[in-house]
Amino acid sequence: MTSPGRLRISRREGFNAAHQLRDPTLGEDENHRLYGKCVNLHGHNYVLEVVVSGAIDQATGYVMDLKRLSDLMRAEIIQHVDHRNLNTDVDWLSGRIPTAETLALAFWARLQPHLPKGSLRRVRVHETDKNWAECSDDD
Ligand code: NI
């Protein structure tokens, strides 16, 4: 059996936050046409899933200590967004419409500088059980 040089590992962290999908530069009718009932303030139990790849460290058996990845996700993202209004309370999201897509891009930008070059592979934001958006390096 040949073994791949790189492996992928993943960590999930949850957070609870409120948002509304509303473009402040547009009127009520246009916002309703674009976003429907999501124009109203409402909350989600989000799940953030991050995938990192790398070579296995023969000494530890780890690609990366998942506790370290968890701590990074908490310090850079979760503590800023948990129990907050994403439209108004997070300075690094200000001026952006907080869709799951926006969050995936913003979360990628928060994590990427703190991880070894090329190791961040995927940031997936589950907004509900049915909806997620993903930022990935392979498309
Ligand atoms: Ni929503």
Side-chain angles (χ1 to χ4, degrees):
M1 177 184 149
T2 58
S3 62
R6 292 170 72 85
L7 298 93
R8 291 185 170 207
I9 59 169
S10 180
R11 176 76 187 182
R12 289 175 154 226
E13 298 288 343
F15 64 96
N16 182 282
H19 77 164
Q20 60 187 142
L21 303 184
R22 178 186 292 272
D23 182 339
T25 68
L26 301 175
E28 284 302 298
D29 288 352
E30 188 63 2
N31 270 302
H32 272 94
R33 192 184 68 75
L34 286 171
Y35 299 116
K37 65 182 182 179
C38 294
V39 296
N40 299 315
L41 188 65
H42 62 280
H44 294 288
N45 292 313
Y46 289 92
V47 175
L48 167 60
E49 184 179 314
V50 173
V51 177
V52 169
S53 73
I56 191 168
D57 180 328
Q58 296 298 338
T60 62
Y62 286 154
V63 168
M64 176 184 181
D65 184 348
L66 282 170
K67 173 69 164 63
R68 208 193 124 221
L69 182 57
S70 171
D71 289 347
L72 180 64
M73 291 162 71
R74 294 186 158 279
E76 289 299 315
I77 298 168
I78 304 294
Q79 73 173 19
H80 298 259
V81 296
D82 191 33
H83 288 73
R84 302 299 173 98
N85 179 332
L86 301 178
N87 295 76
T88 58
D89 298 349
V90 184
D91 57 0
W92 43 269
L93 290 174
S94 75
R96 303 165 80 171
I97 299 168
T99 58
E101 292 90 327
T102 296
L103 298 180
L105 279 171
F107 294 173
W108 178 285
R110 298 283 301 172
L111 294 172
Q112 199 262 342
H114 301 280
L115 292 165
K117 191 170 166 51
S119 66
L120 181 59
R121 307 305 297 275
R122 196 172 84 195
V123 171
R124 183 178 286 184
V125 178
H126 299 258
E127 194 174 61
T128 69
D129 289 342
K130 295 178 178 176
N131 298 350
W132 55 256
E134 178 179 283
C135 186
S136 152
D137 69 346
D138 55 18
D139 57 13

